Amino acid sequence: MTNRDLKHEEVINNILENKMNGLVYLPTGYGKTRIALKALERSSFKNILWVCGSEEFRDNGLWEECDKWGIKKSVCKSIDTICYQSLSKTKTSRYSIVILDEIQYITPLRARPLYHHTDTKILGLTGTPPRDNIKQEIFNDLGLNIITQKTVDDGVDEEMISDYEIDIVFTQMSNEKNIAKTFNNNTFYVSEKSTYSYYNNKLNQAYEIGSKDISRLTLNRARFLYNLESKLICAKKIMHKYKDKRIISFSKSIDHAKILGKTAYHSKLNKKEKEHNLNLFNSKKVNSIGTVEAANTSINFIDLDIVGVHQLDSNPGNFLQRIGRNLRYKKDAIKKMIILCTKDTQDVIWVRKCIEGLNKNKIKYYEIENYV
């Protein structure tokens, strides 16, 4: 048996010892889908519901995994697939086991059908363990304990996923007054720095008085950060620097995704368009692809060299999912991740949260001027 087979066997045995009920936290690229399918093969479950993190995985990805690993036809025929959006309307009591793949997408509403019966086993899978209290309460209420938990660095040490390095590249907002504003039918121009300061001050004032506008103002500030022209310019320079590498660029807007990749993969494309653009990249007709959140999970990008995260958000799980696109095991490979971070903004806090728990020796810091 290979090292990979042995590590999978350990997790499969843990799952079976826990009667297929609990939480399995494994980094992206470790092989959690194969592990779950092999565990199902050795069990006696006949009616299986597999809740998928994306339509692509529901329609194609799971069945491709079944074919790839030679899963018994009897097991495959026993599996019904849905996405999380349909879970709240599904009568889960008729299933002997529910696989909650990418369990970070569970919510109290979606979990509601699972509370009404105790006979159904629940196996939760994810590479990004949820940190928020709401999801922890759901797991506690459902009686889900952690069966196996491995971090990204555990996966590297076990030679289950590739080693990595992270370049954090600092950018600055522009002082140039090039953002048009209108007040009393008069147009005037402000800079990125002054506009961010305005949003930040309004939010701080709202916190001081306990305003009901905190959520709205937080979103306004985030949206402004997501669309900084100065950061887009820096991202374009980085894409040019690595134009001979195979790179995926994660942005927070579809417009930016289309600018930063030779092709793009995003939610406004229909299924056929997504498949076409993904094939352009995976067949190596183009070397760069831009995306937003549609490629966070369940999508395989072939022979990636670099993941560029050109805009983070407040959810560290999104970051781990994104770098996971580049961690499929390749012997002796060191996969590069690039994070753009705007100085003196909420970006700095988001970066700190996202790299928490990762090996600090694998992280380097640069100024944009010295990087491109």
Side-chain angles (χ1 to χ4, degrees):
M1 295 178 77
T2 65
N3 173 65
R4 195 170 190 82
D5 291 335
L6 289 171
K7 296 299 180 185
H8 280 192
E9 195 67 21
E10 288 177 16
V11 181
I12 292 168
N13 287 335
N14 285 342
I15 292 172
L16 294 174
E17 286 171 7
N18 283 272
K19 299 180 180 179
M20 300 283 289
N21 198 82
L23 302 167
V24 176
Y25 295 155
L26 297 171
T28 301
Y30 200 98
K32 61 181 173 61
T33 304
R34 178 182 184 270
I35 287 168
L37 287 169
K38 289 294 183 181
L40 285 172
E41 267 194 330
R42 299 185 198 177
S43 66
S44 57
F45 296 108
K46 301 300 181 186
N47 299 310
I48 303 162
L49 178 64
W50 196 296
V51 186
C52 305
S54 69
E55 292 180 0
E56 287 82 2
F57 193 75
R58 178 196 66 192
D59 297 339
N60 301 308
L62 179 60
W63 313 117
E64 289 171 1
E65 291 280 326
C66 288
D67 290 341
K68 181 178 180 180
W69 303 117
I71 303 302
K72 294 176 182 176
K73 297 295 183 183
S74 58
V75 173
C76 299
K77 289 179 180 178
S78 299
I79 299 175
D80 290 341
T81 56
I82 61 170
C83 288
Y84 277 89
Q85 293 88 333
S86 303
L87 181 56
S88 63
K89 303 173 185 177
T90 302
K91 189 175 181 180
T92 56
S93 58
R94 65 190 184 90
Y95 295 99
S96 52
I97 185 169
V98 176
I99 309 293
L100 296 176
D101 201 355
E102 306 297 353
I103 198 173
Q104 69 271 15
Y105 294 132
I106 197 71
T107 64
L109 176 62
R110 292 170 178 175
R112 190 174 296 168
L114 301 170
Y115 292 123
H116 300 323
H117 45 87
T118 57
D119 295 335
T120 302
K121 302 296 183 183
I122 300 171
L123 185 66
L125 310 172
T126 186
T128 55
R131 300 180 186 179
D132 60 282
N133 292 332
I134 292 175
K135 288 183 174 55
Q136 296 305 322
E137 287 179 12
I138 294 172
F139 301 159
N140 291 338
D141 291 343
L142 292 174
L144 300 179
N145 298 313
I146 298 173
I147 296 173
T148 297
Q149 180 168 13
K150 295 181 185 289
T151 65
V152 169
D153 289 303
D154 289 335
V156 172
D157 292 341
E158 293 178 2
E159 297 186 346
M160 293 295 285
I161 60 177
S162 287
D163 203 352
Y164 65 93
E165 60 184 14
I166 297 175
D167 295 347
I168 298 176
V169 183
F170 290 104
T171 68
Q172 295 193 56
M173 290 179 291
S174 172
N175 265 322
E176 184 179 349
K177 293 183 178 181
N178 56 5
I179 301 173
K181 298 285 186 179
T182 302
F183 182 73
N184 288 341
N185 294 322
N186 294 318
T187 300
F188 59 99
Y189 292 86
V190 295
S191 68
E192 287 181 343
K193 276 191 175 181
S194 63
T195 304
Y196 181 82
S197 180
Y198 168 80
Y199 284 127
N200 209 43
N201 289 338
K202 293 288 284 185
L203 181 56
N204 288 337
Q205 291 168 11
Y207 272 112
E208 287 176 5
I209 64 174
S211 170
K212 295 179 180 179
D213 291 332
I214 288 175
S215 295
R216 178 181 62 82
L217 293 170
T218 300
L219 184 58
N220 286 346
R221 184 182 65 178
R223 283 175 173 164
F224 179 72
L225 269 181
Y226 295 162
N227 293 285
L228 287 176
E229 182 68 20
S230 59
K231 183 178 278 189
L232 177 61
I233 291 169
C234 293
K236 288 164 69 175
K237 290 178 180 179
I238 288 174
M239 296 297 285
H240 180 74
K241 172 185 172 84
Y242 292 108
K243 64 181 183 296
D244 295 327
K245 299 291 185 181
R246 288 180 54 75
I247 181 169
I248 180 172
S249 167
F250 284 94
S251 305
K252 287 296 289 185
S253 80
I254 291 173
D255 287 341
H256 285 191
K258 291 191 288 188
I259 290 170
L260 293 173
K262 295 293 185 184
T263 189
Y265 188 98
H266 54 77
S267 59
K268 287 191 176 180
L269 298 174
N270 61 38
K271 182 179 178 181
K272 187 175 182 180
E273 290 169 330
K274 285 180 181 177
E275 289 175 351
H276 175 265
N277 290 359
L278 182 61
N279 184 61
L280 282 177
F281 184 79
N282 283 345
S283 63
K284 301 187 179 180
K285 293 178 181 176
V286 299
N287 271 347
S288 64
I289 186 166
T291 188
V292 188
E293 294 184 0
N296 274 9
T297 62
S298 308
I299 306 297
N300 287 327
F301 296 92
I302 294 175
D303 290 338
L304 268 178
D305 296 312
I306 300 172
V307 165
V309 182
H310 294 133
Q311 181 58 61
L312 289 169
D313 57 28
S314 60
N315 185 350
N318 286 339
F319 171 69
L320 291 176
Q321 288 169 347
R322 290 165 184 176
I323 67 171
R325 302 304 101 204
N326 201 18
L327 291 177
R328 306 290 176 185
Y329 183 69
K330 188 175 182 181
K331 187 174 176 59
D332 298 326
I334 299 179
K335 297 301 188 77
K336 182 180 287 292
M337 321 296 174
I338 303 170
I339 306 173
L340 276 181
C341 177
T342 304
K343 284 182 175 180
D344 304 318
T345 70
Q346 188 68 19
D347 254 4
V348 178
I349 296 171
W350 290 341
V351 168
R352 192 180 302 132
K353 287 183 178 180
C354 287
I355 63 175
E356 186 179 307
L358 294 175
N359 188 332
K360 300 301 184 287
N361 294 324
K362 300 177 188 290
I363 302 172
K364 296 179 180 178
Y365 299 86
Y366 300 88
E367 300 290 336
I368 186 67
E369 295 82 4
N370 302 323
Y371 194 76
V372 294

